[in-house]
Amino acid sequence: MILGVNVDHVATLRQARLATEPEPLMAATLAILGGADGITVHLREDRRHINDRDLWLMRELISCELNLEMAATPEMTDIALEVGPDMVTLVPEKRQELTTEGGLDLRAQRAKLRAAIKKLKDRGIPVSLFVNPEKKDIEASKAAGADMVEIHTGMYANAKGPAAEAELKRIYAAAGHALDAGLSVNAGHGLNYFNVMKIAEIKGLRGLYIGHSIISRAVLVGMERAVREMKGLIGKAA
Ligand code: PXP
């Protein structure tokens, strides 16, 4: 199972001082040394952390999977077509949010999503949709032409006790529906060193996309070790 490490928070730290360090590319390189199979960056409309230069540098220098997270807007689609990431994950994006808050609203965004997916796929870029763990959203992803889904694990990560168990069941069911529909299945959001194993146990899962917990640990123990420890947990569960 692949582990994609999201390095947006390194850029957030840089932007806190509008400075030139820390450099997200260096963090990405260290993450790869620690065992990351891929690097994720979210280029936001307001460029609040990752900027266009970061994305171009990553494209030039990162040879493992570069996953570009983005909103399905014409501006971002044009950038993706120019840069050519190894895959794109389409996410909902609100200016005021601290992080991606929920899965895509596939009904409301249907036309926008279909247009972006078609353009990206015509250029040979595989597309994943960030979705809530619901059958209707899996079906809509398939109908929209996506290759993959990333199941939103944030509700599970925030829940406790029986509520967490219920969320886990929803995620397992959604993963099953997605696999049956012929989609590749990823998961992510809110995963950490304590809750990741239950998700990594899902049969047939392609990959996990993790940012906050790895970068937080990296601040204390270093990036290579933080990634290696996460890979170890995933390896034990998968
Ligand atoms: N997957 C998606 C689609 C995201 O938007 C994010 C947050 O940027 C993540 C995964 C990683 O979430 P976290 O930082 O909570 O690990």
Side-chain angles (χ1 to χ4, degrees), residues 44-101:
R44 284 181 170 267
E45 189 193 5
D46 61 9
R47 311 297 199 268
R48 70 162 87 142
H49 39 57
I50 292 293
N51 59 36
D52 301 62
R53 168 191 166 275
D54 296 324
L55 178 60
W56 278 105
L57 280 177
M58 300 269 177
R59 176 63 300 174
E60 238 179 90
L61 295 164
I62 297 295
S63 48
C64 62
E65 179 192 275
L66 178 62
N67 173 30
L68 172 60
E69 230 184 271
M70 58 177 236
T73 62
E75 183 208 1
M76 286 300 153
T77 305
D78 286 347
I79 291 172
L81 294 177
E82 224 183 306
V83 174
D86 298 301
M87 64 181 275
V88 161
T89 301
L90 296 175
V91 297
E93 190 175 301
K94 294 189 206 119
R95 251 174 203 268
Q96 302 309 324
E97 69 191 356
L98 292 177
T99 179
T100 317
E101 279 170 356

Side-chain angles (χ1 to χ4, degrees), residues 46-191:
D46 61 9
R47 311 297 199 268
R48 70 162 87 142
H49 39 57
I50 292 293
N51 59 36
D52 301 62
R53 168 191 166 275
D54 296 324
L55 178 60
W56 278 105
L57 280 177
M58 300 269 177
R59 176 63 300 174
E60 238 179 90
L61 295 164
I62 297 295
S63 48
C64 62
E65 179 192 275
L66 178 62
N67 173 30
L68 172 60
E69 230 184 271
M70 58 177 236
T73 62
E75 183 208 1
M76 286 300 153
T77 305
D78 286 347
I79 291 172
L81 294 177
E82 224 183 306
V83 174
D86 298 301
M87 64 181 275
V88 161
T89 301
L90 296 175
V91 297
E93 190 175 301
K94 294 189 206 119
R95 251 174 203 268
Q96 302 309 324
E97 69 191 356
L98 292 177
T99 179
T100 317
E101 279 170 356
L104 288 161
D105 183 341
L106 283 121
R107 189 184 284 236
Q109 286 213 300
R110 200 179 130 128
K112 266 170 78 174
L113 289 168
R114 280 186 182 229
I117 293 169
K118 182 168 185 330
K119 280 192 177 165
L120 293 163
K121 284 184 63 173
D122 284 352
R123 191 64 69 81
I125 302 172
V127 181
S128 180
L129 300 186
F130 186 53
V131 295
N132 291 322
E134 294 193 16
K135 190 175 180 185
K136 69 172 174 40
D137 289 346
I138 303 293
E139 285 168 352
S141 300
K142 180 73 184 173
D147 304 286
M148 291 176 259
V149 286
E150 180 180 333
I151 298 176
H152 189 356
T153 50
M155 282 78 78
Y156 158 68
N158 288 332
K160 293 204 167 53
E165 285 304 315
E167 286 299 334
L168 206 51
K169 275 199 186 143
R170 279 191 343 126
I171 292 169
Y172 273 66
H177 292 314
L179 288 168
D180 289 347
L183 293 161
S184 289
V185 187
N186 303 306
H189 214 283
L191 297 178

Side-chain angles (χ1 to χ4, degrees), residues 3 5-6 9-10 191-196 210-233 236:
L3 169 62
V5 176
N6 181 319
H9 283 337
V10 179
L191 297 178
N192 60 36
Y193 295 80
F194 304 99
N195 63 21
V196 73
I210 306 179
H212 186 85
S213 64
I214 293 178
I215 304 298
S216 301
R217 183 166 290 212
V219 169
L220 302 178
V221 306
M223 183 64 109
E224 276 187 67
R225 179 169 150 193
V227 175
R228 200 169 298 119
E229 287 176 2
M230 182 59 85
K231 278 284 280 192
L233 289 173
K236 254 191 236 167

